[in-house]
Amino acid sequence: MKRRHHPIRNLFFAALAAFSLAACTNQFAYNTLPFWIDYYLSDYVDMTSSQQKQLDQDLDAFHEWHRQTELPQIQALLNQLRRDTVKPLSYSQIGAYHQRANERVNASVEGLTPALVNLIRSLSDEQAAQWLSTMNDKIDEGVEEAKKGTLGDQRERRQDRLVERAEFWVDTVNKKQQLQLLEMATYQIEMRPVFYDIRDELVAEFANIITNRKAPDLAQRLNAYFTRLIHFQSDEYQNDMAIYIGRRYELLQRIDRNLSDKQRKALREKLTSLSDDIASVTKP
């Protein structure tokens, strides 16, 4: 199975967070969530049999906690968004939903902290070095892939990914909407130097966590790291990211205002379908 590695947030936890929430919307994927988390982890470290046994137990506990605690909150968020999208969202509503979505991702990933603390604390020096080396290799691969071709090629690939994401929600996008997504793709590529610098800060922070894995405050440090990772926070680039996020909200608002009746219906049906899928995995 070939997995695409994001050149900006190509860190294990980002992939894990994204998959954890995506899996919530498919009954089979969600019911096999511990397997898939283990699958991602196996890309980074070769575990001993005792480590694997402990991880399996911890992931089963996480899965049950997530089903009972987080899924209902994710479902409530989807249902509220479905009600609100009967008409275009305001700029402040878009920002609020982005924040609430990040909070749910953060909560889901922090639910894994006990399992990750047990695993990371048990790593040998060789395993720790393997994890960090593999992570850096995957980042380098992602950057190399992102920079292939001319800037025009890169913008087109990025636009294609944004169109694919949009069509997941609204089925199809028109020519005007494609151009709006090309605008965002262009801006994201222009922001790469900032994104890469923030990524390097996060990589260094995670490397420090792994290196000092015996510290008593490991859980607190992991949770603080999750927050910075999910929100892509950086003190140095706080203003740059605020401008970027503002432009993204403005673009989403423009696209939302120009959804056709057919697209808005498709969006609300998708939200209903996702909510129904969650209901199917939370029922007794």
Side-chain angles (χ1 to χ4, degrees):
M1 180 185 298
K2 183 177 180 181
R3 290 198 289 268
R4 179 184 296 162
H5 297 292
H6 197 290
I8 296 170
R9 296 200 198 187
N10 191 11
L11 300 170
F12 157 69
F13 293 114
L16 185 58
F19 187 86
S20 295
L21 289 188
C24 297
T25 64
N26 178 280
Q27 184 170 8
F28 174 76
Y30 188 79
N31 286 335
T32 58
L33 183 58
F35 165 81
W36 288 109
I37 296 174
D38 190 1
Y39 177 65
Y40 273 99
L41 274 167
S42 67
D43 265 4
Y44 291 82
V45 62
D46 296 323
M47 286 173 274
T48 66
S49 58
S50 60
Q51 287 171 329
Q52 185 66 66
K53 182 179 180 180
Q54 181 65 56
L55 180 64
D56 290 343
Q57 293 174 353
D58 291 342
L59 290 181
D60 285 343
F62 161 76
H63 191 206
E64 186 59 28
W65 167 84
H66 193 271
R67 186 194 304 271
Q68 294 182 4
T69 305
E70 277 303 305
L71 281 190
Q73 297 195 61
I74 295 169
Q75 184 182 34
L77 180 59
L78 292 171
N79 289 340
Q80 183 62 53
L81 181 58
R82 183 188 66 227
R83 290 190 290 269
D84 286 346
T85 50
V86 69
K87 61 182 181 180
L89 299 175
S90 67
Y91 182 93
S92 62
Q93 282 179 305
I94 290 172
Y97 273 113
H98 178 238
Q99 178 63 29
R100 290 176 66 187
N102 277 344
E103 288 171 356
R104 298 275 55 83
V105 173
N106 208 149
S108 292
V109 177
E110 285 189 0
L112 277 171
T113 296
L116 293 171
V117 165
N118 286 338
L119 176 61
I120 291 172
R121 277 220 173 104
S122 73
L123 295 176
S124 66
D125 290 345
E126 182 181 5
Q127 288 174 314
Q130 178 194 9
W131 192 326
L132 296 176
S133 176
T134 302
M135 182 177 68
N136 285 319
D137 287 345
K138 290 180 181 295
I139 290 172
D140 291 342
E141 291 170 10
V143 171
E144 183 178 352
E145 179 68 25
K147 290 184 175 180
K148 280 184 179 178
T150 66
L151 279 176
D153 294 333
Q154 295 170 29
R155 284 193 292 266
E156 184 176 350
R157 286 199 305 271
R158 187 63 192 157
Q159 179 196 27
D160 288 344
R161 292 176 189 175
L162 294 175
V163 168
E164 181 181 353
R165 292 177 187 176
E167 289 182 339
F168 172 82
W169 295 103
V170 298
D171 287 347
T172 60
V173 297
N174 59 37
K175 291 290 182 64
K176 181 178 180 180
Q177 291 162 342
Q178 289 178 16
L179 289 175
Q180 289 172 324
L181 293 172
L182 177 60
E183 176 186 340
M184 177 54 70
T186 301
Y187 185 42
Q188 289 176 339
I189 290 173
E190 291 172 356
M191 284 285 291
R192 275 179 180 167
V194 171
F195 293 157
Y196 289 167
D197 280 353
I198 297 175
R199 177 208 62 201
D200 290 345
E201 291 177 10
L202 291 166
V203 169
E205 181 179 356
F206 184 67
N208 186 268
I209 289 172
I210 292 291
T211 302
N212 297 286
R213 57 192 178 277
K214 303 300 184 182
D217 62 344
L218 177 59
Q220 291 86 347
R221 294 179 68 200
L222 277 173
N223 286 338
Y225 172 73
F226 292 151
T227 298
R228 283 188 284 276
L229 173 63
I230 291 165
H231 295 272
F232 217 49
Q233 292 175 342
S234 166
D235 292 339
E236 181 178 356
Y237 293 105
Q238 184 176 0
N239 291 337
D240 300 84
M241 289 304 297
I243 293 170
Y244 166 71
I245 291 171
R247 288 188 64 174
R248 186 170 63 177
Y249 291 171
E250 185 273 333
L251 176 62
L252 287 171
Q253 186 180 29
R254 274 193 281 146
I255 293 174
D256 186 35
R257 283 177 174 174
N258 290 288
L259 290 180
S260 67
D261 290 342
K262 183 178 180 181
Q263 288 175 316
R264 192 167 297 281
K265 179 181 178 183
L267 171 60
R268 300 184 75 240
E269 288 177 346
K270 173 64 71 174
L271 292 167
T272 299
S273 175
L274 296 178
S275 178
D276 290 344
D277 286 344
I278 290 177
S280 70
V281 299
T282 54
K283 65 183 179 181

mmCIF file of all heavy atoms in Angstrom, residues 8 184-198 232 237-245 247:
data_model
loop_
_atom_site.group_PDB
_atom_site.id
_atom_site.type_symbol
_atom_site.label_atom_id
_atom_site.label_comp_id
_atom_site.label_asym_id
_atom_site.label_seq_id
_atom_site.Cartn_x
_atom_site.Cartn_y
_atom_site.Cartn_z
ATOM 1 N N ILE A 8 4.618 19.118 4.528
ATOM 2 C CA ILE A 8 4.643 20.121 5.586
ATOM 3 C C ILE A 8 4.455 19.472 6.948
ATOM 4 O O ILE A 8 5.235 19.660 7.869
ATOM 5 C CB ILE A 8 3.565 21.189 5.343
ATOM 6 C CG1 ILE A 8 3.884 21.944 4.053
ATOM 7 C CG2 ILE A 8 3.490 22.166 6.504
ATOM 8 C CD1 ILE A 8 2.780 22.842 3.577
ATOM 9 N N MET A 184 -5.573 29.251 -3.819
ATOM 10 C CA MET A 184 -5.105 28.755 -2.539
ATOM 11 C C MET A 184 -3.857 27.894 -2.714
ATOM 12 O O MET A 184 -2.911 27.981 -1.913
ATOM 13 C CB MET A 184 -6.202 27.955 -1.844
ATOM 14 C CG MET A 184 -5.762 27.335 -0.511
ATOM 15 S SD MET A 184 -5.048 28.514 0.663
ATOM 16 C CE MET A 184 -6.505 29.471 1.108
ATOM 17 N N ALA A 185 -3.828 27.056 -3.751
ATOM 18 C CA ALA A 185 -2.655 26.215 -4.003
ATOM 19 C C ALA A 185 -1.414 27.076 -4.218
ATOM 20 O O ALA A 185 -0.330 26.769 -3.699
ATOM 21 C CB ALA A 185 -2.902 25.327 -5.227
ATOM 22 N N THR A 186 -1.565 28.155 -4.961
ATOM 23 C CA THR A 186 -0.447 29.060 -5.219
ATOM 24 C C THR A 186 0.045 29.693 -3.932
ATOM 25 O O THR A 186 1.254 29.773 -3.679
ATOM 26 C CB THR A 186 -0.873 30.153 -6.214
ATOM 27 O OG1 THR A 186 -1.303 29.535 -7.438
ATOM 28 C CG2 THR A 186 0.274 31.107 -6.500
ATOM 29 N N TYR A 187 -0.868 30.118 -3.104
ATOM 30 C CA TYR A 187 -0.496 30.756 -1.837
ATOM 31 C C TYR A 187 0.193 29.757 -0.907
ATOM 32 O O TYR A 187 1.175 30.082 -0.229
ATOM 33 C CB TYR A 187 -1.736 31.342 -1.175
ATOM 34 C CG TYR A 187 -1.456 32.130 0.082
ATOM 35 C CD1 TYR A 187 -0.372 33.007 0.170
ATOM 36 C CD2 TYR A 187 -2.266 31.993 1.202
ATOM 37 C CE1 TYR A 187 -0.121 33.721 1.329
ATOM 38 C CE2 TYR A 187 -2.018 32.715 2.370
ATOM 39 C CZ TYR A 187 -0.944 33.572 2.416
ATOM 40 O OH TYR A 187 -0.688 34.273 3.567
ATOM 41 N N GLN A 188 -0.297 28.527 -0.874
ATOM 42 C CA GLN A 188 0.321 27.513 -0.024
ATOM 43 C C GLN A 188 1.756 27.226 -0.454
ATOM 44 O O GLN A 188 2.645 27.053 0.393
ATOM 45 C CB GLN A 188 -0.514 26.229 -0.052
ATOM 46 C CG GLN A 188 -1.835 26.365 0.694
ATOM 47 C CD GLN A 188 -2.700 25.127 0.585
ATOM 48 O OE1 GLN A 188 -2.533 24.319 -0.334
ATOM 49 N NE2 GLN A 188 -3.633 24.959 1.511
ATOM 50 N N ILE A 189 2.002 27.202 -1.751
ATOM 51 C CA ILE A 189 3.361 26.978 -2.241
ATOM 52 C C ILE A 189 4.255 28.171 -1.895
ATOM 53 O O ILE A 189 5.416 27.996 -1.503
ATOM 54 C CB ILE A 189 3.345 26.701 -3.756
ATOM 55 C CG1 ILE A 189 2.719 25.325 -4.013
ATOM 56 C CG2 ILE A 189 4.758 26.769 -4.343
ATOM 57 C CD1 ILE A 189 2.498 24.993 -5.468
ATOM 58 N N GLU A 190 3.710 29.367 -1.996
ATOM 59 C CA GLU A 190 4.485 30.556 -1.610
ATOM 60 C C GLU A 190 4.842 30.538 -0.129
ATOM 61 O O GLU A 190 5.880 31.070 0.277
ATOM 62 C CB GLU A 190 3.680 31.820 -1.925
ATOM 63 C CG GLU A 190 3.504 32.109 -3.407
ATOM 64 C CD GLU A 190 2.550 33.263 -3.668
ATOM 65 O OE1 GLU A 190 1.970 33.777 -2.687
ATOM 66 O OE2 GLU A 190 2.379 33.637 -4.841
ATOM 67 N N MET A 191 4.000 29.901 0.678
ATOM 68 C CA MET A 191 4.213 29.849 2.128
ATOM 69 C C MET A 191 5.156 28.719 2.553
ATOM 70 O O MET A 191 5.448 28.567 3.742
ATOM 71 C CB MET A 191 2.870 29.682 2.848
ATOM 72 C CG MET A 191 2.024 30.940 2.913
ATOM 73 S SD MET A 191 2.651 32.115 4.131
ATOM 74 C CE MET A 191 2.285 31.245 5.666
ATOM 75 N N ARG A 192 5.653 27.944 1.631
ATOM 76 C CA ARG A 192 6.477 26.798 1.991
ATOM 77 C C ARG A 192 7.663 27.137 2.898
ATOM 78 O O ARG A 192 7.932 26.396 3.843
ATOM 79 C CB ARG A 192 6.991 26.095 0.728
ATOM 80 C CG ARG A 192 6.019 25.087 0.157
ATOM 81 C CD ARG A 192 6.604 24.468 -1.089
ATOM 82 N NE ARG A 192 5.692 23.499 -1.673
ATOM 83 C CZ ARG A 192 5.842 22.999 -2.891
ATOM 84 N NH1 ARG A 192 6.870 23.390 -3.638
ATOM 85 N NH2 ARG A 192 4.986 22.124 -3.353
ATOM 86 N N PRO A 193 8.403 28.215 2.645
ATOM 87 C CA PRO A 193 9.525 28.504 3.552
ATOM 88 C C PRO A 193 9.088 28.627 5.012
ATOM 89 O O PRO A 193 9.777 28.132 5.904
ATOM 90 C CB PRO A 193 10.074 29.835 3.011
ATOM 91 C CG PRO A 193 9.723 29.813 1.550
ATOM 92 C CD PRO A 193 8.372 29.150 1.496
ATOM 93 N N VAL A 194 7.939 29.252 5.238
ATOM 94 C CA VAL A 194 7.418 29.363 6.603
ATOM 95 C C VAL A 194 6.993 27.995 7.117
ATOM 96 O O VAL A 194 7.339 27.593 8.240
ATOM 97 C CB VAL A 194 6.228 30.346 6.655
ATOM 98 C CG1 VAL A 194 5.541 30.306 8.021
ATOM 99 C CG2 VAL A 194 6.697 31.761 6.347
ATOM 100 N N PHE A 195 6.259 27.256 6.288
ATOM 101 C CA PHE A 195 5.800 25.932 6.696
ATOM 102 C C PHE A 195 6.982 25.021 7.040
ATOM 103 O O PHE A 195 6.952 24.297 8.039
ATOM 104 C CB PHE A 195 4.975 25.283 5.576
ATOM 105 C CG PHE A 195 3.660 25.953 5.298
ATOM 106 C CD1 PHE A 195 3.042 25.796 4.066
ATOM 107 C CD2 PHE A 195 3.022 26.725 6.247
ATOM 108 C CE1 PHE A 195 1.821 26.398 3.800
ATOM 109 C CE2 PHE A 195 1.799 27.336 5.995
ATOM 110 C CZ PHE A 195 1.204 27.164 4.758
ATOM 111 N N TYR A 196 8.003 25.052 6.221
ATOM 112 C CA TYR A 196 9.151 24.173 6.453
ATOM 113 C C TYR A 196 9.904 24.546 7.724
ATOM 114 O O TYR A 196 10.388 23.671 8.442
ATOM 115 C CB TYR A 196 10.091 24.209 5.251
ATOM 116 C CG TYR A 196 9.557 23.509 4.007
ATOM 117 C CD1 TYR A 196 10.169 23.688 2.773
ATOM 118 C CD2 TYR A 196 8.446 22.674 4.070
ATOM 119 C CE1 TYR A 196 9.699 23.061 1.634
ATOM 120 C CE2 TYR A 196 7.962 22.042 2.943
ATOM 121 C CZ TYR A 196 8.587 22.226 1.720
ATOM 122 O OH TYR A 196 8.114 21.603 0.599
ATOM 123 N N ASP A 197 10.000 25.834 7.998
ATOM 124 C CA ASP A 197 10.673 26.249 9.224
ATOM 125 C C ASP A 197 9.884 25.796 10.456
ATOM 126 O O ASP A 197 10.471 25.343 11.444
ATOM 127 C CB ASP A 197 10.858 27.773 9.250
ATOM 128 C CG ASP A 197 12.033 28.239 8.417
ATOM 129 O OD1 ASP A 197 12.793 27.374 7.914
ATOM 130 O OD2 ASP A 197 12.207 29.464 8.249
ATOM 131 N N ILE A 198 8.556 25.922 10.393
ATOM 132 C CA ILE A 198 7.733 25.461 11.516
ATOM 133 C C ILE A 198 7.857 23.949 11.657
ATOM 134 O O ILE A 198 7.986 23.418 12.774
ATOM 135 C CB ILE A 198 6.264 25.877 11.324
ATOM 136 C CG1 ILE A 198 6.137 27.401 11.300
ATOM 137 C CG2 ILE A 198 5.399 25.288 12.446
ATOM 138 C CD1 ILE A 198 4.740 27.902 10.994
ATOM 139 N N PHE A 232 -0.273 23.815 14.265
ATOM 140 C CA PHE A 232 0.906 24.262 13.519
ATOM 141 C C PHE A 232 1.401 25.596 14.077
ATOM 142 O O PHE A 232 1.540 26.591 13.372
ATOM 143 C CB PHE A 232 0.582 24.377 12.029
ATOM 144 C CG PHE A 232 1.721 23.954 11.139
ATOM 145 C CD1 PHE A 232 2.368 22.754 11.360
ATOM 146 C CD2 PHE A 232 2.145 24.743 10.101
ATOM 147 C CE1 PHE A 232 3.425 22.355 10.546
ATOM 148 C CE2 PHE A 232 3.200 24.361 9.287
ATOM 149 C CZ PHE A 232 3.844 23.158 9.508
ATOM 150 N N TYR A 237 6.633 32.575 13.864
ATOM 151 C CA TYR A 237 5.813 32.785 12.663
ATOM 152 C C TYR A 237 4.332 32.971 12.991
ATOM 153 O O TYR A 237 3.466 32.702 12.159
ATOM 154 C CB TYR A 237 5.989 31.607 11.699
ATOM 155 C CG TYR A 237 7.384 31.517 11.120
ATOM 156 C CD1 TYR A 237 8.277 30.557 11.575
ATOM 157 C CD2 TYR A 237 7.796 32.414 10.141
ATOM 158 C CE1 TYR A 237 9.560 30.472 11.048
ATOM 159 C CE2 TYR A 237 9.074 32.347 9.598
ATOM 160 C CZ TYR A 237 9.949 31.377 10.059
ATOM 161 O OH TYR A 237 11.217 31.308 9.539
ATOM 162 N N GLN A 238 4.047 33.433 14.187
ATOM 163 C CA GLN A 238 2.659 33.605 14.616
ATOM 164 C C GLN A 238 1.892 34.535 13.675
ATOM 165 O O GLN A 238 0.763 34.239 13.278
ATOM 166 C CB GLN A 238 2.626 34.143 16.041
ATOM 167 C CG GLN A 238 1.219 34.269 16.622
ATOM 168 C CD GLN A 238 1.253 34.707 18.085
ATOM 169 O OE1 GLN A 238 2.323 34.909 18.664
ATOM 170 N NE2 GLN A 238 0.087 34.864 18.674
ATOM 171 N N ASN A 239 2.495 35.669 13.301
ATOM 172 C CA ASN A 239 1.816 36.627 12.419
ATOM 173 C C ASN A 239 1.629 36.057 11.022
ATOM 174 O O ASN A 239 0.562 36.239 10.404
ATOM 175 C CB ASN A 239 2.601 37.936 12.352
ATOM 176 C CG ASN A 239 2.556 38.709 13.659
ATOM 177 O OD1 ASN A 239 1.644 38.540 14.465
ATOM 178 N ND2 ASN A 239 3.538 39.556 13.877
ATOM 179 N N ASP A 240 2.652 35.365 10.503
ATOM 180 C CA ASP A 240 2.545 34.766 9.170
ATOM 181 C C ASP A 240 1.400 33.763 9.113
ATOM 182 O O ASP A 240 0.634 33.736 8.138
ATOM 183 C CB ASP A 240 3.854 34.065 8.800
ATOM 184 C CG ASP A 240 5.039 34.994 8.771
ATOM 185 O OD1 ASP A 240 5.613 35.240 9.852
ATOM 186 O OD2 ASP A 240 5.380 35.489 7.691
ATOM 187 N N MET A 241 1.284 32.941 10.155
ATOM 188 C CA MET A 241 0.240 31.934 10.162
ATOM 189 C C MET A 241 -1.139 32.558 10.350
ATOM 190 O O MET A 241 -2.126 32.073 9.790
ATOM 191 C CB MET A 241 0.517 30.903 11.251
ATOM 192 C CG MET A 241 1.703 29.992 10.952
ATOM 193 S SD MET A 241 1.547 29.103 9.375
ATOM 194 C CE MET A 241 0.086 28.111 9.679
ATOM 195 N N ALA A 242 -1.221 33.629 11.115
ATOM 196 C CA ALA A 242 -2.508 34.310 11.288
ATOM 197 C C ALA A 242 -2.996 34.864 9.953
ATOM 198 O O ALA A 242 -4.190 34.773 9.617
ATOM 199 C CB ALA A 242 -2.375 35.433 12.315
ATOM 200 N N ILE A 243 -2.080 35.431 9.172
ATOM 201 C CA ILE A 243 -2.443 35.954 7.845
ATOM 202 C C ILE A 243 -2.861 34.807 6.927
ATOM 203 O O ILE A 243 -3.867 34.901 6.209
ATOM 204 C CB ILE A 243 -1.265 36.733 7.243
ATOM 205 C CG1 ILE A 243 -1.010 38.004 8.062
ATOM 206 C CG2 ILE A 243 -1.552 37.091 5.777
ATOM 207 C CD1 ILE A 243 0.273 38.716 7.687
ATOM 208 N N TYR A 244 -2.104 33.718 6.953
ATOM 209 C CA TYR A 244 -2.427 32.565 6.109
ATOM 210 C C TYR A 244 -3.798 32.005 6.447
ATOM 211 O O TYR A 244 -4.615 31.745 5.558
ATOM 212 C CB TYR A 244 -1.357 31.484 6.282
ATOM 213 C CG TYR A 244 -1.752 30.146 5.720
ATOM 214 C CD1 TYR A 244 -1.826 29.952 4.342
ATOM 215 C CD2 TYR A 244 -2.092 29.085 6.566
ATOM 216 C CE1 TYR A 244 -2.212 28.719 3.826
ATOM 217 C CE2 TYR A 244 -2.477 27.858 6.046
ATOM 218 C CZ TYR A 244 -2.534 27.680 4.677
ATOM 219 O OH TYR A 244 -2.928 26.473 4.165
ATOM 220 N N ILE A 245 -4.065 31.807 7.732
ATOM 221 C CA ILE A 245 -5.353 31.251 8.143
ATOM 222 C C ILE A 245 -6.491 32.195 7.767
ATOM 223 O O ILE A 245 -7.551 31.764 7.304
ATOM 224 C CB ILE A 245 -5.343 30.958 9.658
ATOM 225 C CG1 ILE A 245 -4.398 29.789 9.949
ATOM 226 C CG2 ILE A 245 -6.750 30.638 10.168
ATOM 227 C CD1 ILE A 245 -4.145 29.555 11.419
ATOM 228 N N ARG A 247 -6.576 34.264 5.242
ATOM 229 C CA ARG A 247 -6.804 34.156 3.800
ATOM 230 C C ARG A 247 -7.535 32.860 3.458
ATOM 231 O O ARG A 247 -8.380 32.826 2.565
ATOM 232 C CB ARG A 247 -5.469 34.219 3.061
ATOM 233 C CG ARG A 247 -4.837 35.599 3.056
ATOM 234 C CD ARG A 247 -3.631 35.683 2.154
ATOM 235 N NE ARG A 247 -3.953 35.462 0.751
ATOM 236 C CZ ARG A 247 -3.081 35.603 -0.249
ATOM 237 N NH1 ARG A 247 -1.820 35.957 0.024
ATOM 238 N NH2 ARG A 247 -3.427 35.396 -1.493
#
